[in-house]
Structure formats: C-alpha cells, structure tokens
C-alpha cells in the first residue's frame, strides 16, 4: 500500500501492511527484542515478531486498560479494569503473577530499571541468594495428578524456564508504577513487592511562612513516569486545584482552577535506599512465591482428601439405609462392632458386604483413600515442608537485617514484626510434622479396617482367606469410634473450619509450656490450632511485617513542584479519550540547555502532550513541549533548576491523534487530516527538538510553581518543511508505538490494518554526523 511520494527520499519506509484481527487500542514494543505486544478492542493480547510472525494470543477475561513491558523485556505487565496487574511471560504468554494493587481500573503503567547512572559507589549492601548453599531448588506449585499412568504431583521440567522469568534473583532493581482512575499511584519492586502508595487528590506542596499553598482537589491521570534514577515521579493530569495563603488552606479552600497540571514528586527514597530496598524486596518476593506454593498445596490436599472421603461415604451410606429398612435401631458402627465381637452377622450387614460393597467395591474405595494419603504425604514432604524451611531461612536473614537499624530502620523493617513472622514460620513447621503423624495414623487405620472387611467378605462368601493380610482388632475398634464418621484430616486442612480447636491432653500442654522457659515458642496454643489456621496466622504476620516498609516509604513520597499548565475554558466531556502524552528522561542529553556549563552532570526531562480542545481556544490545536533540567551540581535531584517550553501550533488542516518521544531530542507525531479535501490523508513525522526555540519559564518566587501563561504570546507555527514526513493515504487512529532500538513507528488504521514503518537508519546517521 505505497503512496505517491515525490522523488525526494522518504525517511519512513513502509515495512508491513497487515490485517489486524480486531481494532488495536494499545501497542508497546519490547525494549530488548523486536517484539510488539498489542491489545485489541475485545481485550486480547497479541505478540508479534518484527516480521509479523504471531507468537501467541491470550485473553485475560477482563477489560485491559493499560500495558507495559518489564525493562529486561522478559515479561509484560497488563492493567485490568478491576485493578489487577497481571504479569505474563514473553515466551508463551503464561500468567506469572496477578497482583491486586488497586480497586478500580488501571489507566497507566510505567516500569523503570536501575541503569547504574548517577550511583555514588556505595555497594556495601549486596544481595546473595544463600538458600542455594543449604537447600535444594525451591519447590514449585504441585499439579493435580491425572488419569495418565505415572503422573505425579511434581511439575514438568518444561516449567522451569517459565518460573525463572519471575525469579527476582536474576533481576536488576526495578520499580513498576501503576495509576488508576481514582488517582491512586502504587509502586512495586519487580512488579511484585508493594513498596508505596500515594493519592494525588489532596496532594499539596510543602508550605512555609507566607508562601502560596496549592493543593490538587480532583484530577484524572493521563500519564505517570518514574525517572531513570528513581529520584522523581512526573504526573500529567487534569482536574481542579486550589491556591491561596497557608492560612486559607488550613480552613476553607482558596481560589480554585480547573485545567491541566504537571506534578513533580520527590521519590529520592528509592535511590537513597536502593540497596536496602533491593535486598528486602528480593527476600520478600521469594517468600511470597513460596507462600503461594504452600497455599496452593493446602488447597490441593484438601480437594484430594475430600474427593477420596466422598467416595468412601457414598459407598458406606447404603449400610445406614439397609439398617433402617430392616427395622433395626442401631448405627453402622454398632453393627460392625457386633460383627467384630463374633456375634451372628445381621441381615443388613450381610447384604451390604456381599451385595452392595463386595470385594471389588471395597478395593476401589480403599485404593482411592490410600492414593489420597500417599499424595498428601508427597505434597507435604516435597512441597510444603521444604517451602516452609526456605521461608524460615529467608525470614532469619531479614531478622538479622532488621537489627541493623541504621540502614534498615529507615525503610520500616521492624525487628519485632520480623521476629513474630519468623516464629510463625517455625510454628507452621511444627504443624506440618504433626500433620504427617496424624495422616500416617489415619491412613494406617483405614488400611487396617479394609483388611478386616475384606476378610469378613471372604468368610461370608465361603472363600479362602488364609492369604489375606492380617489386621489389628484394637485399631478396628478405634477406627469405628473415632474415624468412621469423623475426619480429622479434613478439619486440619479446611479453610472454612479454621476456628476448630484441636484437643490436646494436659501432659502435652505442660511440656510445651516448659519448652518456653528453655527458649521455645512463646505461643503455647499453637498445637490447638489447625494446619490451615496456622498458615493463615503466618500469612497475616507477613502482611503486617511487610506493610511497615510500605507505609514508611509512602510517607516519604511528597510533591515538590507543580506546573499548572492550561486552564479549562469549558468542562471536559464526561467520557474522553486519553490525551496524547509522552515523558522521557535523559542524562546530559541537551547540549544547548542553559545550565550546561555547570560542572555536574545534568538530568533532562522531556514532557510532551497535545493541548486538549477544552482548554483555551488559542492553544487547543498545539503541541506543548516542556524541557526540565536538574543539575547534579546543585545536589537537589528532584527539583528543576531550569525549565524551558514551547508551543507548536499545528495547522488547522491536521489534528494530532498520538505522539511519542524518540531517542534523545526527537518527537514522532501522528496527524490526521481534518478538512474535506484532506479527508483520508494522514501524516507520520519526526521533529528535531534541538532545532526549536525553547522559551525559559519563570518560577513563582513564593512557591515552586512554574508559570506557563507567557507561552501563549509566543506560539510557534509548526513548519513541516524541516521535519521528516511520510504521507499515509487514509485516516489513522492510535496507538503510535515507537521502538527506540530500531526506530519503528507502528500505526494502526481505522479499517483494522496494521502499518509498520521503519526510519531510514542511513539518513539518520548522516544527519547525526552533520550535527557533530
């Protein structure tokens, strides 16, 4: 689908023009590989190679509202309408983890990784996974055994690469930021471990003396971006903010303005405590993985045992019916005890053993119970126990770190809470050992009972019983009294029966209390709890211990600067699409910036957005570009020392539908024709920002508020002659996905076709050499 171009070289070469299965609403290029993740209108995720080979398609089953790649390109984060963030493996699309960070739809995701720039060389705290020295590889979630011969609860070897993609031991320090439509912004290390949360509603600048106070009252977030050094978070939003004296904001609100705003938040805590956060997050995320193994294992054990017991009770229930139909006033246990004592076999018992149950039926029932007991023991010894042991080891390491208050107290690692969580892990191990003993005893009694019944059936049918296994009469009596219509194994595993108290004798309780004096667990009631309840206690202690760093870090994140951009002349529509925005961070990226002569290294932020139509009519069809500079020499890494901006006025014949920052000083725009003669005609172009005349923006002397009103007097008409342009002979719709590695623009046409353009690299290199 080539277009009629002039004889000049066209910088964007059409690479592919392919049909899409449905209209695409989101698209992101993999940061490390030539892979494109796309989200369709029916909320399916599709992954394509650069040659348009489809790798996989998945459907989360819920509306997808945002998309973002992990910086290493091995996983993709998907935000859903219910507030869940799901992480998917790049190789096959499998769900790695689902994290419920929000209560409403997630509108924006941003994932940044430590790039090593600006480090102070303090590497005194480093992480080493020492569990490999003392333990076998961590257990995985078991699989439910199927009908295939040889199937077991162990996972296939093919699952190993899938699990490694979530292993935090191989990842560099990274933080995932997620924002929802209610204004909540959450931070999670590795996309797994929650480490902070703020809400922009009510967010205000610090006020001292007679400074002017500003506070965000209500806002909708367009985009959030965390800087590459983790020192600041930029939020582009629209809504209402109030301004007035400090006395005014303490009581009644001051002057209110509705419009677009840019907030700069201080997140230096992530950089200052990077080493500590890295180590705690790796330990905590691995603990969460192992906790999930235990949770899934307990659930699987409960289901397997209940299925086996259901088979047993369904088969033996007919005996109660036979007893009632024969007019007897006795229970099945009494009838079996009478048979065991040598009395004459009653008609209902004879009919049940010979006709209803039979030898084959008894063997099927007891095989189901025996297999369930073996599977439960295998899960306990191969999954739950090793997982709990590794958790205990990791909690022991965190316990040691929590005593280093000078470093880890600053991120909220509380020694008492960690001690309590460590003790709860030990109690779970005690419960596991006890459960193994109870399970072995119950399985033995079921086996002994079945041996006795089998002998009874043989005798009643006048068949030889000499070769049958022997049985213990006392164990049969114990089974009939305590296990026939009771199920201690189910009670220990049942999540809904966690309030059930396990009876323990006084001698055992006294011995436990004596062990406390010798340094044992302080909680002497642990043996009266079920295994399921002990696990819930352990989970609760983890949540409490790890919530302290979450709360501590959240309090450290404050708003440092506010940029009121443009007021709204009219109220925005109740349902409006996302404003085209793009935010990028660079180190020492702009040689023409005013502070370039300083001795320190500069951090440069580029913020670009289309001014929406409900703003001032004078700037409604303009592209605003902000360039903020933070100088290392000032030792204030979260405040702009210089802010420059400009407004590009787009022709009335064109309308910007999407934009993206590309590499260091270039912006890619996607424009649609608006007039009747240009209908069905779009433009894909790249603008060099270094050629644009930025205007320095003054700052209020009484507060860190930048004033952009002066830009309205110096709007720059957009000159298409100096830009790299490619015409597209039809209207297009977002998204515009730009790959920084290959310079690829991906445009999706409204007629469900995907167009992939690649920038002529030879031309780009020639321009760069001319600039040098």
């Amino acid at each position: 689908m080539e277009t009629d171009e002039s004889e000049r070289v066209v910088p964007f070469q059409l690479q592919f023009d392919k049909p899409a299965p449905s209209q695409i609403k989101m698209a992101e290029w993999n940061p490390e590989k030539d892979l494109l993740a796309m989200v369709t209108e029916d909320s399916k995720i599709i992954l394509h190679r650069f040659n348009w080979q489809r790798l996989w398609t998945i459907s989360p089953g819920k509306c997808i509202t945002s998309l973002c790649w992990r910086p290493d390109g091995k996983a993709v984060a998907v935000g859903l309408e219910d507030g869940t963030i799901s992480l998917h493996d790049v190789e096959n699309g499998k769900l790695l983890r689902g994290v419920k960070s929000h209560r409403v739809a997630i509108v924006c995701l941003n994932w940044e990784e430590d790039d090593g720039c600006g480090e102070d060389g303090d590497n005194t705290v480093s992480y080493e996974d020492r569990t490999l020295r003392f333990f076998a590889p961590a257990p995985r979630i078991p699989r439910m055994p199927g009908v295939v011969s040889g199937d077991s609860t162990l996972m296939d070897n093919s699952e190993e690469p899938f699990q490694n993609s979530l292993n935090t031991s191989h990842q560099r320090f990274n933080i995932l930021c997620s924002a929802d439509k209610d204004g909540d912004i959450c931070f999670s290390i590795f996309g797994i471990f929650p480490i902070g949360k703020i809400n922009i509603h009510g967010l205000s600048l610090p006020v001292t003396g007679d400074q002017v106070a500003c506070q965000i009252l209500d806002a909708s977030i367009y985009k959030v971006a965390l800087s590459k050094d983790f020192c600041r978070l930029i939020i582009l939003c629209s809504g209402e903010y109030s301004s007035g004296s400090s006395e005014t904001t303490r009581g009644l609100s001051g002057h209110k303005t509705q419009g677009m705003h840019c907030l700069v938040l201080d997140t230096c805590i992530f950089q200052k405590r990077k080493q500590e956060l890295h180590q705690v997050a790796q330990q905590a995320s691995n603990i969460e993985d192992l906790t999930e193994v235990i949770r899934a294992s307990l659930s699987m054990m409960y289901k397997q045992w209940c299925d086996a017991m259901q088979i047993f009770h369904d088969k033996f229930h007919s005996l109660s019916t036979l007893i009632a139909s024969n007019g007897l006033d006795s229970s099945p246990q009494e009838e079996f005890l009478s048979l065991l004592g040598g009395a004459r076999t009653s008609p209902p018992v004879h009919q049940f053993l010979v006709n209803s149950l039979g030898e084959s039926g008894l063997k099927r029932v007891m095989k189901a119970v025996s297999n369930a007991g073996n599977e439960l023991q295998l899960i306990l010894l191969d999954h739950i126990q090793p997982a709990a042991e590794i958790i205990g080891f990791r909690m022991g390491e965190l316990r040691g770190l929590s005593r280093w208050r000078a470093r880890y107290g600053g991120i909220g690692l509380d020694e008492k809470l960690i001690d309590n969580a460590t003790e709860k892990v030990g109690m779970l191990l005690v419960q596991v050992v006890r459960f193994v003993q109870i399970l072995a005893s119950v399985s033995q009694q079921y086996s002994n009972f079945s041996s006795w019944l089998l002998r009874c059936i043989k005798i009643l049918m006048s068949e030889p019983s000499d070769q049958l296994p022997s049985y213990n009469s006392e164990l049969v009596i114990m089974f009939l009294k305590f296990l026939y219509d009771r199920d201690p194994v189910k009670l220990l595993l049942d999540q809904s029966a966690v309030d059930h108290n396990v009876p323990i004798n006084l001698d055992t309780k006294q011995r436990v209390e004596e062990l406390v004096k010798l340094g044992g667990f302080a909680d002497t009631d642990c043996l009266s709890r079920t295994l399921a309840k002990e696990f819930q206690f352990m989970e609760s202690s983890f949540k409490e211990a790890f919530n302290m760093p979450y709360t501590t870090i959240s309090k450290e994140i404050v708003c440092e600067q506010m940029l009121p951009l443009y007021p709204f002349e009219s109220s925005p529509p109740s349902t409006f699409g996302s404003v085209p925005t793009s935010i990028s961070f660079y180190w020492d990226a702009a040689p023409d910036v005013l502070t370039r002569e300083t001795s320190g290294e500069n951090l440069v932020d580029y913020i670009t957005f289309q001014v929406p139509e409900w703003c001032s009519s004078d700037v409604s069809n303009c592209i605003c570009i902000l360039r903020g500079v933070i100088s290392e020499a000032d030792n204030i890494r979260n405040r702009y020392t210089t802010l420059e901006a400009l407004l590009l006025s787009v022709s009335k014949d064109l309308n910007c539908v999407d934009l993206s920052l590309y590499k260091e000083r270039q912006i890619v725009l996607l424009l649609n024709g608006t007039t009747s003669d240009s209908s069905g005609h779009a433009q894909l172009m790249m603008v060099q920002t270094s050629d644009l005349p930025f205007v320095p923006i003054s700052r209020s002397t009484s507060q860190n508020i930048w004033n952009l009103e002066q830009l309205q007097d110096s709007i720059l008409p957009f000159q298409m002659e100096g830009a790299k342009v490619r015409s597209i002979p039809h209207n297009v719709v977002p998204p515009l996905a730009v790959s920084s590695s290959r310079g690829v623009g991906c445009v999706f046409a409204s007629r469900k076709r995907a167009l992939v353009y690649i920038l002529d690299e030879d031309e780009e290199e020639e321009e760069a050499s001319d600039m040098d």
Side-chain angles (χ1 to χ4, degrees), residues 5-263:
E5 297 285 345
S6 60
E7 294 182 358
R8 66 179 178 84
V9 177
V10 180
F12 289 100
Q13 301 299 328
L14 181 62
Q15 191 78 11
F16 292 108
D17 179 2
K18 300 289 184 179
S22 178
Q23 185 62 53
I24 307 297
K25 64 178 182 179
M26 280 174 258
E28 290 287 343
W29 286 98
N30 188 299
E32 296 293 329
K33 304 175 183 178
D34 285 327
L35 299 173
L36 178 65
M38 299 173 289
V39 177
T40 61
E41 286 290 349
D42 55 355
S43 287
K44 291 181 179 179
I45 309 172
I46 306 173
L47 188 72
H48 276 277
R49 293 188 187 275
F50 182 69
N51 60 5
W52 212 248
Q53 174 192 3
R54 183 181 296 189
L55 296 183
W56 46 259
T57 302
I58 59 174
S59 178
K62 298 175 182 176
C63 180
I64 300 174
T65 53
S66 53
L67 184 73
C68 180
W69 282 100
R70 197 167 76 186
D72 62 3
K74 295 182 180 179
V76 61
V78 180
L80 305 177
E81 64 176 347
D82 67 344
T84 301
I85 300 175
S86 59
L87 307 181
H88 295 268
D89 186 22
V90 66
E91 297 293 335
N92 45 33
K94 285 187 177 180
L95 179 66
L96 298 172
R97 179 72 63 81
V99 182
K100 182 72 172 176
S101 301
H102 301 263
R103 295 172 296 178
V104 294
I106 300 170
V107 298
C108 182
L109 291 169
N110 174 247
W111 209 333
E112 286 296 336
E113 184 178 71
D114 179 25
D115 60 0
C117 297
E119 288 189 350
D120 54 7
D122 182 8
N123 294 316
T124 57
V125 181
S126 59
Y127 174 75
E128 177 190 0
D129 190 0
R130 286 175 285 198
T131 58
L132 301 177
R133 299 183 188 178
F134 309 103
F135 301 95
R140 306 300 185 191
I141 295 176
R143 291 188 296 112
M144 181 70 74
V147 296
V148 180
S149 177
D151 196 8
S152 67
T153 56
L154 297 178
M155 299 184 76
D156 296 331
N157 293 332
S158 60
E159 297 288 339
E160 195 68 26
F162 161 68
Q163 293 291 341
N164 284 340
S165 58
L166 195 61
N167 189 350
T168 60
S169 300
H170 306 303
Q171 294 184 40
R172 298 176 66 179
F173 183 66
N174 59 73
I175 297 178
L176 174 65
C177 303
S178 55
D180 63 32
K181 66 178 185 179
D182 282 352
D184 285 328
I185 301 175
C186 296
F187 305 88
S188 56
I189 301 176
F190 308 123
I192 301 172
F193 180 60
I195 199 58
K197 180 180 181 179
I198 60 169
N199 188 288
I200 65 171
H201 301 156
L203 200 63
S204 59
L205 287 167
V207 179
T208 58
D210 296 330
Q211 292 180 344
V212 176
C214 285
Q215 185 179 49
I216 297 293
L217 301 178
D218 189 17
S220 299
I221 297 176
Y222 294 133
K223 198 174 190 67
V224 297
L226 187 66
S227 63
K228 295 185 182 297
D229 62 350
F230 303 118
C231 285
R232 64 200 178 283
L233 179 77
I234 293 179
I235 306 172
L236 200 59
C237 60
S238 67
E240 189 177 63
Y241 80 97
S242 67
S243 61
S245 65
S246 56
E247 289 79 6
T248 302
T249 54
R250 293 190 188 106
L252 299 174
S253 59
H255 177 68
K256 296 181 180 180
T257 304
Q258 191 176 29
M260 291 191 66
H261 324 298
C262 181
L263 308 176

